[in-house]
Amino acid sequence: MQATLQKIIHVDMDCFYAAIEIRDNPSLAGKPVAVGGLSPRSVLCTCNYEARKYGVHSAMPTTKAYRLCPDLIVLPVEMAKYKAASQRIQQIFHEFTDLVEPLSLDEAYLDVTDSPHFNGSATLIAKAIQARIFAVENLTASAGVAPNKFLAKIASAWQKPNGLFVIRPHEIAEFIKVLPVEKLHGVGRVTAQKLHALGFKTCADLQTQSLIKLTNRFGKLGQTLYEQCHGVDHRIVNPHRERKSVSVENTFNYDLKNPAEHEQAIIELHQKLAYRLQTINEVRPIKNQFVKIKFNDFTTVSAETKSGESNLDSYQKLFLEAYTKIRKPIRLLGLGVSFSKALLTNDFQQQELFVN
Ligand code: TTP
Ligand code: MG
C-alpha cells in the first residue's frame, strides 16, 4: 500500500489542567493532584502523574478517586486560566508553521513538511516547540513526530510525560506490527473486545486480513482499520476545519433496562459532553441538541431539537421521545450538539464591509 509521506508533529500537553494548577501553586509539586468537580455526582477532568500511580484518571467519579487515593487534592476547574494558557501555546505553534490544526485546548497537529526551520528537521522543530512552551509557560508538553497524523498522535503518547518520540518512514513497518489494536483511531472498548475475540490483538494480526474482509466485517470502520494497520493515514492537517457537531456516546457493558439507569447514563454523558465542549474551543453558537439510542437488537433511533445550549432537561425529553418508539434494552446511548454555520460576529463584520 502506497503511503503519502508528510512531516507531522502532534503536541499534547502533560496533565494540562493539573499542571497549570501545580505551576501556579508550587507547594502542590510531588503531591497527587486532580482538577474536577467536588459534588457527589461529579467527575475529574484530569490528574497529575503522581495521582495516576493510584489508578486515578480523567472522567473518573471524584468519590471513586478519593477511595483509590485518600490524599488526593482535588481543585476546582478554572477554565479561563486554561484557555489563556492554551492561546499562548497556540501562538508558539504558529511561530513554526501556519499549518496548525488544534484538536482541543491542549493538543494540536502541525504540518512541517515544507518548513524552513532547522533545515526541515521535524524532530528539531518538535524539540524547539517543547523548549519554547517550557520557557514561556513553565509547562511540559509531549510531542510525536511521524509521516502522518495517526502515527504522530500515537507517538506523542508513547513517552509521556515530557517525551519526544519519532517514527521515521523506514521504521513504520516494524513499529506498527506490535501496535495493539486498541490504539487505533475508531477502536473503542467494545470494538477492541470484538477484535480480540476474533484473534486480532496487534496490527500484525489485522494485516493478515484483506480490505474486503475487513469492510465486510466492520463496515466503514474496516477501511480505516485496513489503512491504519499498515501505518497509512491520508488525512491532511487542516487549519480551518469546521466541526459540524460534537457528541459523546457510551456502549454499555450491560444493556440498560430501567428508567433509573437511563437517567444516570444521561447525566454522566451530559457531564462528559460539557467537558468536551469546554475543551474544543468552539466559538460558534449551538444550534441543535440531539440524542441517539441503539437498542440491543441494533435498531437505532434518534431525536433532535432546536436549542442554543447543551441542556440536561432537553436531553431527557429527547431521550423519551426516541425511546418510546422502540422500548427495548439499550446497548448504546449518545448525546450531542450541532453548531450554527457562521459566527454571528462574522455576519456582522460582513454586513459592515458592504455598508462601507
Ligand atoms: P488530555 O490531553 O486527554 O489529558 P491531560 O493533558 O490532562 O493528560 P495527558 O498527560 O495524558 O495528556 O486532556 C487535556 C485536558 O482536557 C485535561 O487536562 C482536562 C481536560 N479533560 C476533561 O476535562 N475531561 C476529560 O475526560 C479529558 C480526557 C480531558
Ligand atoms: Mg494532554
Side-chain angles (χ1 to χ4, degrees), residues 12-17 45-46 49 52 58-59 106 160 275 279:
D12 189 317
M13 301 301 295
D14 301 323
C15 54
F16 190 48
Y17 297 3
C45 294
T46 192
Y49 283 73
R52 291 182 199 194
S58 294
D106 93 320
K160 253 182 177 295
Y275 285 128
T279 58

Side-chain angles (χ1 to χ4, degrees), residues 41 67 75 84 95 142 171 185 260 262 306 316:
R41 278 180 150 168
R67 275 203 301 278
L75 301 167
E95 291 171 12
S142 295
E171 294 164 345
H185 189 66
H262 299 159
K306 271 203 178 343
Q316 307 270 20

Side-chain angles (χ1 to χ4, degrees), residues 20-21 31 69 99 214 222 230 244 265-266 272 294 350:
I20 291 176
E21 295 301 342
K31 297 176 183 161
C69 177
L99 292 175
L214 287 176
H230 289 92
K244 290 196 186 85
I266 295 168
K272 200 167 156 191
K294 195 187 272 178
Q350 204 74 31

Side-chain angles (χ1 to χ4, degrees), residues 3-305:
T4 346
L5 297 182
Q6 309 153 286
K7 287 184 193 170
I8 308 294
I9 302 174
H10 178 258
V11 183
D12 189 317
M13 301 301 295
D14 301 323
C15 54
F16 190 48
Y17 297 3
I20 291 176
E21 295 301 342
I22 297 163
R23 171 195 70 182
D24 294 350
N25 180 357
S27 73
L28 297 171
K31 297 176 183 161
V33 175
V35 173
L38 289 157
S39 59
R41 278 180 150 168
S42 324
V43 294
L44 298 181
C45 294
T46 192
C47 61
N48 66 352
Y49 283 73
E50 278 81 358
R52 291 182 199 194
K53 289 179 200 153
Y54 295 82
V56 176
H57 58 75
S58 294
M60 174 178 276
T62 308
T63 44
K64 182 170 179 193
Y66 275 131
R67 275 203 301 278
L68 291 172
C69 177
D71 293 334
L72 185 67
I73 300 164
V74 182
L75 301 167
V77 185
E78 294 223 37
M79 213 56 206
K81 208 155 81 171
Y82 315 145
K83 284 196 168 164
S86 171
Q87 271 169 14
R88 291 189 295 267
I89 292 164
Q90 297 288 334
Q91 275 171 15
I92 293 174
F93 296 153
H94 281 275
E95 291 171 12
F96 295 86
T97 175
D98 284 332
L99 292 175
V100 178
E101 181 180 325
L103 294 178
S104 70
L105 285 188
D106 93 320
E107 77 184 288
Y109 289 114
L110 284 75
D111 183 337
V112 294
T113 311
D114 298 316
S115 170
H117 296 279
F118 297 98
N119 283 328
S121 163
T123 307
L124 292 181
I125 296 173
K127 268 191 188 156
I129 290 171
Q130 289 177 299
R132 280 284 290 148
I133 293 175
F134 193 73
V136 173
E137 286 297 314
N138 198 12
L139 295 172
T140 61
S142 295
V145 177
N148 63 46
K149 280 172 136 180
F150 150 61
L151 291 170
K153 187 161 168 127
I154 291 190
S156 73
W158 210 248
Q159 286 178 355
K160 253 182 177 295
N162 203 13
L164 171 63
F165 190 72
V166 182
I167 304 171
R168 293 169 189 85
H170 65 275
E171 294 164 345
I172 296 177
E174 275 302 300
F175 179 84
I176 205 82
K177 267 192 218 154
V178 289
L179 193 71
V181 290
E182 48 269 42
K183 297 275 182 199
L184 302 183
H185 189 66
V187 177
R189 184 173 39 83
V190 172
T191 311
Q193 277 166 7
K194 196 169 160 188
L195 288 165
H196 288 176
L198 291 164
F200 305 137
K201 294 245 158 66
T202 63
C203 285
D205 300 331
L206 269 184
Q207 283 174 2
T208 61
Q209 302 298 298
S210 68
L211 174 60
I212 293 171
K213 269 196 180 155
L214 287 176
T215 43
N216 282 347
R217 228 172 217 156
F218 297 97
K220 249 206 231 157
L221 179 66
Q223 164 99 26
T224 45
L225 287 179
Y226 182 76
E227 287 175 359
Q228 290 183 81
C229 79
H230 289 92
V232 171
D233 178 8
H234 297 296
R235 291 174 303 160
I236 58 161
V237 170
N238 183 356
H240 309 294
R241 191 160 70 108
E242 273 220 338
R243 222 184 282 269
K244 290 196 186 85
S245 62
V246 171
S247 59
V248 292
E249 60 180 43
N250 197 359
T251 306
F252 304 103
N253 287 332
Y254 304 98
D255 296 340
L256 305 188
K257 294 199 173 110
N258 64 58
E261 287 175 336
H262 299 159
E263 194 191 341
Q264 183 58 27
I266 295 168
I267 289 172
E268 280 170 19
L269 282 168
H270 172 251
Q271 204 165 35
K272 200 167 156 191
L273 182 60
Y275 285 128
R276 277 288 297 283
L277 286 167
Q278 279 179 333
T279 58
I280 59 163
N281 239 353
E282 180 56 66
V283 281
R284 289 168 304 156
I286 291 172
K287 183 179 70 174
N288 285 338
Q289 280 183 245
F290 56 86
V291 161
K292 177 174 105 177
I293 306 173
K294 195 187 272 178
F295 294 98
N296 65 347
D297 63 353
F298 284 84
T299 40
T300 305
V301 289
S302 56
E304 185 160 359
T305 187

